[in-house]
Amino acid sequence: MRKKNLLISLFSLMMVIVLSACTSNDGEASVEDTNNGKDSNEQMNMNEDNENSMEENMNNSSSEGEMNNGSMGNGHMDHDDVVSLIDSTGENELNIPPVLKSDSNKGTEYTIRAQKGETEIFDGVQTKTYGYNDSFLGPMLQFEKGDTVKINLINELNENTTFHWHGLEVPGNDDGGPHNVLEPGEESTIEFEVTQEAATLWFHPHPEGKTSEQVYNGLAGLIYIEDQNSKNLELPSEYGENDIPLIFQDRVFDDEKQLNYKAAANEDGTVGDTSLINGTLNPKLTVDKEKVRLRLLNGSNARNYTVKLNTEDAFVQIATDGGFLNEPVSMQEITLTPSERAEIVIDFSQVKTNEEIALVNEEGTTLLPFEITDQTGKTIDIPDEMNDFSVTEEEKNLPVTKEIELFGMMDQVTINGKKFDSERIDFTQEQGVTEVWEIYNKPDMMGGMIHPFHIHGAQFKILSRNGEAPPENERGWKDSFSVAPDETVKIAIQFKNKGIHMFHCHILEHEDNGMMGQVKVE
Ligand code: C2O
Ligand code: CU
Ligand code: CU
């Protein structure tokens, strides 16, 4: 063990030397360039060269020493370091989160308890877990646009928590950020109107410095918003039948099959070798021969998930984080960074009953095998007009009024050189006014890493990535997006509601380490 650590340190040192030698010229040039003209072609080319040479270097070094596999140690997390997931054997039918019923006779009033429990994740073993109204994970909340929703929040944990509605457009006070703490045993009630369009959102805790551990232990649930449009569109929409949520999470289980966050924790984002979907270990999903809609949520602390079919067949993406795309986008694979969502539709109508078909990741690891019944389902033609999302000329021409620089790694992560301070307001913005934010991920000597950037209380539009239009499947409402090292992303954002809203990296350990700021909307 000692020897391994020494080797890793040596290896890291080598990488630093090699990388800084190879990037010092380009690196400096591109930083300067960034200040002069971000969108110049020259800049773009340099970045590409830079990236390529870095990647080459990574590959060379990692093939020399096979010491990166599984040994995350406390090292800086480059994607080469991330431990591989174990294939799903498909022995357990996927758990479908129950739909939360409203409190008796009260239409849109709900009660949510954060609680501790024990869950049989492995056969015959009880694992200590957290959950909402359940021992592990939580229910699905179904809201309709226009609803006034009342939620009673109860903290039954032995520690502080908050209830955050990720992607929901609500006033800062209802949003469950670090300011809305509930102490053990405490209750409170929030009430808000659902003003946004149909989307798949989620909820999770957000207490300062403890978000990662609480999510890791199991606190996460789903929110579905439906509206007139989503009801009119002819899409697979039978919950649990042909409209299935998939919450992707990875965990480490210790010898006693317990989640031991402290032992597993990595400052750069905790990853594990064990893949859970909706909390199910070794899941499979049984589907009829029909089109099936999958609502994907990357609910992991830090792992980026790339999802595709083992057959390499295409599927269509129909929705982003915050609503439908205008038209279905054909994809062969999709990458979601932590907290991102996407809805996709896979056509199983022509698949043979005994054909081996599964969702796999970029390494070919089986995440979710499908079992195809011999039932033929409804024939549904995915509509080619689903929404009227657009980026206006005016929005494209707005000047950048907020600049965000993401930097650092491990516990040295910052936004604009600063760590989170709950007493400090970093930005102000006027309610209902659209501004352009520019988010830049400044590389470090190790090359840097992807930071998934998220803003509370609003759905926004991605205007550009490194000066170019975003890919087709990002031309819809977003609340989280990836920012690669040395990448600049511009967004147009408007807050419908007042209050203090967080913005942060959604690698939960980075968030807890202070990679977070606050914008006050007035
Ligand atoms: Cu998923 Cu600050 O949130
Ligand atoms: Cu959020
Ligand atoms: Cu980060």
Side-chain angles (χ1 to χ4, degrees):
M1 206 51 208
R2 274 277 168 81
K3 214 171 176 189
K4 208 169 177 191
N5 280 337
L6 190 72
L7 274 171
I8 293 167
S9 315
L10 267 172
F11 171 71
S12 311
L13 194 71
M14 247 170 57
M15 291 274 291
V16 172
I17 293 168
V18 170
L19 281 175
S20 59
C22 107
T23 58
S24 62
N25 284 332
D26 286 10
E28 257 167 49
S30 61
V31 168
E32 272 191 320
D33 242 72
T34 306
N35 295 333
N36 295 338
K38 280 180 180 144
D39 297 332
S40 76
N41 278 327
E42 221 180 310
Q43 157 79 7
M44 304 280 303
N45 293 339
M46 274 192 170
N47 290 346
E48 258 165 41
D49 287 347
N50 205 341
E51 243 171 50
N52 289 343
S53 64
M54 251 181 219
E55 237 166 58
E56 253 168 53
N57 245 293
M58 296 268 182
N59 293 340
N60 287 344
S61 341
S62 56
S63 54
E64 262 166 39
E66 277 285 88
M67 50 193 111
N68 56 351
N69 219 354
S71 60
M72 295 159 290
N74 281 319
H76 173 50
M77 181 102 54
D78 289 300
H79 59 219
D80 287 350
D81 293 342
V82 174
V83 62
S84 296
L85 291 171
I86 302 166
D87 287 298
S88 169
T89 60
E91 62 202 83
N92 302 312
E93 188 65 34
L94 180 76
N95 173 56
I96 304 291
V99 181
L100 183 65
K101 292 206 184 70
S102 62
D103 299 353
S104 51
N105 308 326
K106 289 185 204 154
T108 53
E109 180 169 344
Y110 301 91
T111 298
I112 301 182
R113 301 160 193 275
Q115 60 192 58
K116 285 177 147 191
E118 293 195 335
T119 309
E120 191 175 334
I121 298 170
F122 294 83
D123 274 344
V125 187
Q126 296 298 325
T127 300
K128 292 196 174 65
T129 49
Y130 284 9
Y132 292 117
N133 299 8
D134 206 340
S135 67
F136 196 34
L137 297 177
M140 183 269 264
L141 278 66
Q142 192 156 27
F143 301 153
E144 224 171 288
K145 185 177 178 182
D147 279 354
T148 297
V149 175
K150 198 170 175 182
I151 311 180
N152 304 306
L153 308 169
I154 305 177
N155 179 9
E156 291 181 351
L157 303 172
N158 301 328
E159 56 187 299
N160 290 355
T161 194
T162 79
F163 298 74
H164 169 56
W165 320 101
H166 182 121
L168 202 61
E169 299 186 321
V170 289
N173 276 340
D174 298 326
D175 191 41
H179 296 287
N180 307 121
V181 169
L182 286 190
E183 286 173 15
E186 216 187 326
E187 306 185 7
S188 77
T189 300
I190 54 167
E191 194 175 302
F192 55 85
E193 201 188 321
V194 179
T195 57
Q196 71 203 86
E197 62 186 61
T200 306
L201 315 177
W202 64 303
F203 62 103
H204 62 77
H206 221 295
E208 196 179 340
K210 292 282 278 180
T211 299
S212 40
E213 182 165 2
Q214 291 187 2
V215 172
Y216 191 84
N217 286 338
L219 289 178
L222 292 161
I223 303 170
Y224 284 16
I225 298 178
E226 301 295 344
D227 63 7
Q228 211 44 58
N229 181 39
S230 68
K231 288 188 205 158
N232 290 344
L233 288 174
E234 220 203 307
L235 288 169
S237 55
E238 285 161 61
Y239 184 69
E241 298 293 325
N242 60 11
D243 181 354
I244 314 275
L246 300 179
I247 307 170
F248 292 93
Q249 296 178 313
D250 57 327
R251 296 292 183 265
V252 186
F253 289 91
D254 67 13
D255 295 342
E256 269 78 56
K257 302 280 185 252
Q258 298 301 314
L259 290 166
N260 184 340
Y261 179 74
K262 297 244 150 48
N266 184 303
E267 297 280 14
D268 245 347
T270 302
V271 295
D273 58 357
T274 306
S275 162
L276 300 177
I277 305 181
N278 301 349
T280 307
L281 179 72
N282 290 321
K284 72 154 184 259
L285 178 64
T286 304
V287 294
D288 291 343
K289 290 192 171 68
E290 62 177 341
K291 292 201 175 86
V292 174
R293 173 183 185 178
L294 301 174
R295 304 193 191 214
L296 317 178
L297 157 64
N298 182 342
S300 74
N301 282 37
R303 179 184 289 272
N304 301 324
Y305 276 86
T306 295
V307 174
K308 57 184 182 180
L309 284 165
N310 61 333
T311 55
E312 308 271 325
D313 283 332
F315 51 85
V316 293
Q317 183 176 345
I318 57 168
T320 52
D321 298 330
F324 290 113
L325 288 157
N326 286 357
E327 51 192 27
V329 175
S330 175
M331 315 267 291
Q332 257 181 324
E333 60 174 48
I334 182 167
T335 299
L336 296 176
T337 59
S339 87
E340 282 188 291
R341 284 91 60 215
E343 294 180 29
I344 64 172
V345 176
I346 300 178
D347 187 357
F348 292 100
S349 59
Q350 306 307 323
V351 177
K352 309 220 172 41
T353 304
N354 53 9
E355 204 169 312
E356 291 210 2
I357 180 161
L359 285 183
V360 298
N361 73 1
E362 69 283 3
E363 296 184 306
T365 302
T366 303
L367 300 173
L368 184 68
F370 295 104
E371 188 173 310
I372 318 290
T373 70
D374 43 25
Q375 298 269 21
T376 316
K378 267 214 269 192
T379 325
I380 293 176
D381 284 322
I382 306 300
D384 28 64
E385 272 176 51
M386 301 183 295
N387 208 346
D388 57 357
F389 175 89
S390 72
V391 178
T392 63
E393 276 312 300
E394 197 194 333
E395 285 164 340
K396 279 184 202 153
N397 293 323
L398 283 175
V400 172
T401 38
K402 294 192 173 29
E403 288 183 69
I404 301 235
E405 187 182 85
L406 308 172
F407 183 66
M409 58 186 198
M410 307 290 287
D411 56 352
Q412 301 301 315
V413 282
T414 56
I415 293 183
N416 292 345
K418 287 175 264 183
K419 282 191 173 291
F420 180 68
D421 176 351
S422 62
E423 302 294 310
R424 184 189 68 231
I425 298 298
D426 298 277
F427 292 123
T428 57
Q429 186 160 330
E430 214 178 300
Q431 180 185 24
V433 172
T434 303
E435 286 197 36
V436 173
W437 293 30
E438 185 178 83
I439 296 91
Y440 173 60
N441 180 351
K442 183 176 161 186
D444 55 38
M445 287 205 306
M446 306 278 289
M449 60 192 289
I450 293 174
H451 296 287
F453 190 72
H454 165 56
I455 307 174
H456 286 204
Q459 293 292 334
F460 48 76
K461 305 171 182 181
I462 297 184
L463 298 177
S464 65
R465 285 185 172 276
N466 278 338
E468 304 208 1
E472 275 182 75
N473 72 316
E474 286 190 327
R475 298 179 195 170
W477 293 108
K478 295 284 291 169
D479 57 51
S480 306
F481 54 91
S482 68
V483 195
D486 211 22
E487 188 177 26
T488 300
V489 183
K490 273 197 206 178
I491 61 166
I493 180 166
Q494 185 188 113
F495 293 92
K496 290 184 202 158
N497 295 289
K498 292 189 182 171
I500 295 173
H501 301 282
M502 302 295 131
F503 53 86
H504 60 91
C505 174
H506 219 290
I507 289 176
L508 297 179
E509 286 74 12
H510 282 182
E511 175 195 320
D512 282 343
N513 286 334
M515 202 171 201
M516 176 157 72
Q518 29 195 4
V519 54
K520 186 172 183 188
V521 177
E522 11 188 39

